[in-house]
Amino acid sequence: LLISASTSGTTAIFNISKTLETVLLHIESSQSPQQENITSSGVKYAQTNWQPRTASKREIIDIGEPDLKCIGNQSGVNGLDVNYKDGKLRIATGGDDNTLSVFQILLTVSLQNELMLICTSIGRNMCAHASNITGVKILSNGSVVTSSIDQRLNIWSVEERDEVLDVVHVGFGKKSRKLVDSGSGEVRKMEIAMEYSGYVDVADVSDLDCLEICGSDEGGGRGVRVVIVGVGMQVFQGSL
C-alpha cells in the first residue's frame, strides 16, 4: 500500500501491488545478457553479466486512482503516520488547521481475492494545538504524539467507541466534503483525549520522531524518547 497526504487535507491510499508487478516485469524485459570469457589457470569460463538496455525515453507508469480517500484536515497536511496491527491500519494526520485526525482502516479480502479497504472508525480533535501541527507519530500502545508551532508536545489516547457517526463531513454548506469517499458499513467514532502536554524550548518546531526502548525504567518496562527539531533540538523521555 502507498499512502500519501496533500495540501487539500486528503489522505489517499493506493494498492500498488499490480503496479509493482508491472515495474518488475518491465525491469526484467529491459535487461539483456552479455557474455564474456574469463581465463583462469588456462581454463576458459563463460560469465553472463546482465546489463540494462538504454531506453530512448523514460516510461511513466500510472498507479491509478486511490482505493480509499480519507479527509482529516481542511487544508495542508504536515504530519502523517501509519500503524498496522491485527489486520487494521491506523492512520494519524495533523495539519495547518490545528486538527489531529485518526482513521482506522480494515484490510480484508473480497470473494474475488482482491484487497478491500474499509474505514471503520474516525476520530478528530479540531483544537489539538493552538497553531499548525508539524509532526505526528503513533506509538505501539496506540497513543499519538504531536508537535506544533505553538511549542507544545502533546500525547493523545485514542479509543474506539460504540457511537455510530451519522454525518461524516468536514466543512460547512456547499464546501463540505465527506470524510470518507468509499468503503462500506458503519463508521464509528474514536475519542481522542489528551494524556500529556508539555512545553518545548525549541522555536519554530518543524518535526518530531519517537524511539521506543525496552527496560527504560527500574521495572524494566517500555519507554519512549521523543525528539523535537526546529531551531535546535530537544529530547523528552517517558514510560509507556
Side-chain angles (χ1 to χ4, degrees), residues 140 212-217 220-224 238-240:
S140 61
E212 296 189 33
I213 51 180
C214 295
S216 61
D217 53 26
R222 293 185 64 83
V224 59
S239 57
L240 293 176

Side-chain angles (χ1 to χ4, degrees), residues 8 10 71 73-74 124 167-181:
S8 66
T10 302
I71 301 176
N73 302 83
Q74 298 188 57
R124 301 180 76 228
V167 180
V168 284
H169 284 74
V170 59
F172 303 94
K174 294 182 179 179
K175 294 185 178 180
S176 67
R177 297 178 293 170
K178 294 180 68 175
L179 289 175
V180 181
D181 69 354

Side-chain angles (χ1 to χ4, degrees), residues 192-211:
I192 302 176
M194 181 177 289
E195 292 183 334
Y196 169 84
S197 182
Y199 178 74
V200 177
D201 295 320
V202 176
D204 195 17
V205 176
S206 59
D207 203 356
L208 68 82
D209 201 1
C210 298
L211 173 65

